[in-house]
Amino acid sequence: MSDLVIDIIKMTKTYGTGDIAVHALNELNLQVEEREFVAIMGPSGSGKSTLMNIIGCLDRATSGLYILDGEDVSSLNRDQLASVRNRKIGFVFQSYNLLPRLTALKNVMLPMMYNGFQTWSEGQRGERASSLLDLVGLGDRLHHLPAELSGGQQQRVAIARALINDPSLILADEPTGNLDSRSSTEIMGIFHRLHGQGATIVMVTHESERAREAERILNVLDGRVVAPPSEIDRLAMA
């Protein structure tokens, strides 16, 4: 069996106290193995966004255990969580989140300034960023600004940026939500290639067609993963 990249045990996230307390997550359990490609689905208010934020170390659970790539991050403070994010997680967002005044190359290079690559020369960082942009099919767009790129091309830049620190986990939040069908297919093709090369990917999506491209679909409802493993696997193969 592969090692677990994500191991969440009885995780609860509560907002407010007393009579106005809202349980966004309710003793949720979740395991994702190394090299898996998992899709997370759920209606508005189901808890999937809260779960995504905690998986991404953007927030912390009220209680429960979260082991990320062998490291217990359950009780880390904000600065410690930021360090884990930089080292272990590559984010791909629906809105790309590129800096408009930086070229594609500079956007991809940016995370290297905060995580272990400070001793690299500008040329070394640029070479690594350039190779990743080439990997996602943008080797001829290195010096273009985001406004000079299509939505699909901007998302490719975001994927290259997510890969720059060699993360343990790629976390994609509605990565095709702002794209047309052709661009969405191209972006999913990149995810499939990365998965084939050994990447662990967790993708939140409301698009069932895209979710079915993952190995497993995890359905979140009322703060819990509700579908049993056999049903999840059946849905993924349908």
Side-chain angles (χ1 to χ4, degrees), residues 80-212:
Q80 291 169 327
L81 287 174
S83 176
V84 171
R85 285 198 305 272
N86 290 335
R87 289 186 286 110
K88 294 184 179 289
I89 303 173
F91 291 93
V92 181
F93 298 99
Q94 178 178 353
S95 57
Y96 323 132
N97 288 5
L98 303 179
L99 296 183
R101 296 186 179 182
L102 295 184
T103 64
L105 185 67
K106 294 291 187 181
N107 265 288
V108 175
M109 290 170 62
L110 190 62
M112 301 178 79
M113 300 298 296
Y114 306 100
N115 181 27
F117 293 93
Q118 296 93 330
T119 60
W120 286 32
S121 69
E122 183 82 2
Q124 288 174 314
R125 292 195 296 268
E127 185 175 347
R128 176 169 172 79
S130 177
S131 68
L132 289 173
L133 283 166
D134 189 57
L135 176 69
V136 299
L138 287 180
D140 59 344
R141 297 289 191 272
L142 304 182
H143 304 294
H144 285 61
L145 296 172
E148 299 169 328
L149 301 172
S150 69
Q153 289 172 331
Q154 290 185 60
Q155 194 61 294
R156 292 183 187 208
V157 175
I159 293 172
R161 181 184 59 193
L163 297 171
I164 195 70
N165 286 333
D166 193 23
S168 304
L169 172 67
I170 297 173
L171 199 52
D173 188 2
E174 301 283 2
T176 60
N178 285 343
L179 303 177
D180 58 37
S181 59
R182 178 178 177 180
S183 296
S184 296
T185 299
E186 292 173 348
I187 292 302
M188 291 304 298
I190 293 173
F191 282 133
H192 287 305
R193 289 201 301 274
L194 294 172
H195 178 232
Q197 295 168 4
T200 305
I201 303 172
V202 172
M203 175 181 71
V204 167
T205 181
H206 67 275
E207 300 173 277
S208 58
E209 178 183 356
R210 299 305 174 191
R212 285 193 291 268

Side-chain angles (χ1 to χ4, degrees), residues 11-27 44-47 50 54 59-63 222-223:
M11 177 180 286
T12 297
K13 179 65 176 181
T14 303
Y15 296 99
T17 59
D19 293 339
I20 62 171
V22 175
H23 300 290
L25 299 179
N26 187 12
E27 294 194 344
S44 178
S46 64
T50 298
I54 293 175
D59 197 1
R60 195 171 68 182
T62 304
S63 64
D222 296 331

Side-chain angles (χ1 to χ4, degrees), residues 49-62:
S49 295
T50 298
L51 176 61
M52 191 73 163
N53 285 338
I54 293 175
I55 290 175
C57 295
L58 296 166
D59 197 1
R60 195 171 68 182
T62 304

